[in-house]
Amino acid sequence: MTKDGAHVKSAYEILGISETATDEEVKEAYRRKARAYQDNMTPQNSRRMAELDAAYDEIINSRRNGPGGYASAGSSLADVRARIAENRIDDADTLLEGIPNNGRNAEWYFLKGTVLYRRGWLEEASRNYRTACDMDPGNAEYRAAYNNVASPRGGGYRQAGPNGMPGKTGCSVCDICNALICANCCCDCAGCDGTPCC
């Protein structure tokens, strides 16, 4: 972002809105133009879409980091949630990291945990979810996310499964032992080691 504000002004022009637009009007303008470009994805519209994404990010970042921005106003972080829903994980993380330490509330830690979870970094995600739960113990959303990561079902190595949900992928030590015992029994009974079992 340029300090003279000229770049921010051009970002508003790209979205076709004024600098006094509300956050919801910014989002609606972005969605409307994005749909129009995506419905007719030509090379020119692909460039326009990239320009639109950059303009939207510029506006959001300038509002977040500027005087009286989201960080100081205690935003609900709806824009970060929107990025996560759109699977724009890097963008969501960039917005989160732009918030100073003294502006990081329970929701910040929950969303940071979600970003880490989507990347497959489950230990770090669990720590952030736990912090969110400690800061806001009555929040069911934070507690459910923490429980999903902290208590995986079925044992085994914890990593993100299909659709980013925790699941059992790979083998646990018990699975390996059971397979070896089974293989040993099969080989003995088939006489593969030269000694019949009966």
Side-chain angles (χ1 to χ4, degrees), residues 65-86:
N65 298 324
Y70 295 135
S72 61
S75 164
S76 67
L77 301 173
D79 49 340
V80 176
R81 287 178 181 266
R83 292 294 198 298
I84 292 170
E86 296 164 0

Side-chain angles (χ1 to χ4, degrees), residues 146-157:
Y146 175 70
N147 289 340
N148 263 344
V149 175
S151 306
R153 293 178 192 85
Y157 176 70

